[in-house]
């Protein structure tokens, strides 16, 4: 199918983007430990990413409030975050207890297309260790 698109429309990046499948959404997961002291966000390997002290949180903690606080702390859009307790997504006014472990899932950039390379026809015998990448960003959608 890729070869047909190249034959029919040329091999410009814009015509290839119609043939390539959309890249799947990738996620970054952060473990949230909610306690009487606040919220501690860590990577799955245990590296601390952020802390939200209890003084910044309301008395009654909801999923929407926690997502808002996490987004502000991380400097990202709230719409890219979802909050999970086990296999259940917590949304809106869902109450959150003060001693629990949650997962915060961040959707990473969805519009990432795979890099397509083609051999330079002018030099059919490239030497080992040599290469060149030529990008014309004006041609990308």
């Amino acid at each position: 199918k890729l070869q047909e698109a190249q034959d029919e429309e040329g091999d410009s990046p814009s015509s290839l983007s119609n043939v390539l499948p959309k890249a799947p959404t990738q996620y970054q997961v952060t473990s949230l430990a909610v306690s009487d002291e606040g919220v501690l966000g860590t990577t799955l390997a245990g590296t601390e990413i952020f802390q939200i002290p209890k003084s910044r949180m309301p008395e009654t903690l909801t999923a929407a409030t926690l997502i808002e606080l996490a987004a502000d702390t991380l400097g990202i859009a709230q719409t890219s975050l979802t909050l999970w307790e086990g296999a259940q997504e917590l949304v809106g006014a869902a109450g959150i207890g003060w001693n629990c472990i949650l997962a915060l899932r961040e959707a990473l950039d969805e519009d990432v297309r795979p890099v397509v390379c083609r051999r330079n026809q002018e030099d059919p015998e490239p030497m080992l260790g040599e290469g060149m990448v030529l990008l014309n960003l004006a041609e990308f959608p």
Side-chain angles (χ1 to χ4, degrees), residues 25-32 42 44 50 66-67 70-71 74 76-90 102-108 110:
T25 303
Q26 294 181 349
Y27 298 98
Q28 176 175 318
V29 178
T30 303
S31 175
L32 298 181
T42 59
L44 297 181
F50 65 89
L66 187 52
I67 287 174
L74 294 170
I76 57 176
Q78 293 179 30
T79 55
S80 68
L81 296 176
T82 53
L83 192 60
W84 296 79
E85 184 173 28
Q88 181 180 3
E89 182 179 0
L90 303 175
L102 304 172
L104 183 69
R105 188 175 78 168
E106 177 188 356
L108 302 177
E110 296 180 12

Side-chain angles (χ1 to χ4, degrees), residues 47-97:
T47 305
E48 184 178 316
I49 299 174
F50 65 89
Q51 282 187 333
I52 302 172
K54 189 169 182 178
S55 61
R56 285 188 54 203
M57 296 186 286
E59 288 293 319
T60 305
L61 189 60
T62 65
T65 305
L66 187 52
I67 287 174
E68 180 182 345
L69 289 168
D72 289 344
T73 302
L74 294 170
I76 57 176
Q78 293 179 30
T79 55
S80 68
L81 296 176
T82 53
L83 192 60
W84 296 79
E85 184 173 28
Q88 181 180 3
E89 182 179 0
L90 303 175
V91 293
I96 296 173

